[in-house]
Amino acid sequence: NKSAAKTPSSQQEPASSKSSQATSSSKTKQSSHARSSSSVAKTATFSNQTFTINHVAFKLTGSKVTASATANRNLFVIYYTVTNNQGKSIIPSDLWQSAVSASQNGKKLGTGNLAFTTSQTTDNNKLNRTVMPVNAGKSTTGLAMFEPKGTQNITVTFKDTNGQTVHTSTYPLS
C-alpha cells in the first residue's frame, strides 16, 4: 500500500485516509487536488509585464484612458510591443483577442473604437499594425482597447490556449 500512497492519483487515497496519517494524507490530497484542477500544464506565462503565448511575447508598455468614437464614452488602451518567436508569421490581434479579456464589476467589456482625431493618428497606426502579419523573429508596437462602462477599476485577464488564467492585472480608471 505504500506504493499507492506515493502515487499522486487522488482516486487511490481516500481508502487509506482514516489511518493515523490522516493529516499528512489530507495535505497530500489538497496539493494533488490543486494540481488535478489545473492538470493541464499552462501554455502561457506572464512575467515582468510580458505575456507570452504560443512563442509570441506581448510586452506591456503602458496604458491610458482616451476618448472613444462613441459619444460621451472613454476607451481604456493597453500599449504593447509584440515579438513573434514562432517560425511563421502571426496576426497579433488574433492571438491577443483569443487570450486576453477585460471586465468591470464582473461584466466583460467590449473593445470599442478609437475616435478619429489627429491626436489619435499614432494610436490608429498601432491598431492597424495589430491586424497585419508580423513575420517570424520580428517585433512591432500595437495596442488593445476596451470600452469601460464607468470609472470602476478594470480587471484584465490573461489566459493560455486551454483557457486557464495565467495572470490578472487591475487598472484604476480614476
Side-chain angles (χ1 to χ4, degrees), residues 23-159:
T23 49
S24 66
S25 151
S26 69
K27 280 182 188 159
T28 308
K29 268 192 279 185
Q30 283 173 344
S31 66
S32 69
H33 179 268
R35 273 195 301 276
S36 68
S37 66
S38 60
S39 59
V40 182
K42 289 202 170 30
T43 58
T45 60
F46 191 101
S47 176
N48 299 322
Q49 289 301 103
T50 303
F51 175 60
T52 305
I53 184 166
N54 287 349
H55 305 289
V56 176
F58 292 89
K59 171 86 174 149
L60 306 186
T61 57
S63 64
K64 75 173 182 182
V65 176
T66 187
S68 168
T70 308
N72 304 318
R73 279 278 173 77
N74 283 327
L75 278 183
F76 174 68
V77 181
I78 296 176
Y79 295 95
Y80 58 76
T81 299
V82 59
T83 303
N84 179 8
N85 296 311
Q86 287 190 9
K88 61 184 193 303
S89 66
I90 54 109
I91 306 289
S93 67
D94 291 351
L95 203 49
W96 179 273
Q97 288 176 359
S98 70
V100 183
S101 62
S103 62
Q104 226 177 1
N105 294 334
K107 293 189 176 80
K108 195 168 176 165
L109 298 180
T111 54
N113 296 299
L114 284 170
F116 290 102
T117 63
T118 47
S119 65
Q120 299 283 21
T121 303
T122 43
D123 281 355
N124 278 313
N125 290 341
K126 285 179 180 162
L127 181 61
N128 289 338
R129 283 195 288 273
T130 67
V131 295
M132 305 293 285
V134 175
N135 292 329
K138 300 292 183 200
S139 296
T140 191
T141 55
L143 60 80
M145 304 170 299
F146 300 102
E147 193 170 75
K149 303 280 192 244
T151 56
Q152 300 88 356
N153 289 351
I154 289 181
T155 301
V156 179
T157 304
F158 299 85
K159 294 188 174 184

Side-chain angles (χ1 to χ4, degrees), residues 14-25:
S16 63
S17 66
K18 292 215 177 358
S19 71
S20 62
Q21 299 174 323
T23 49
S24 66
S25 151

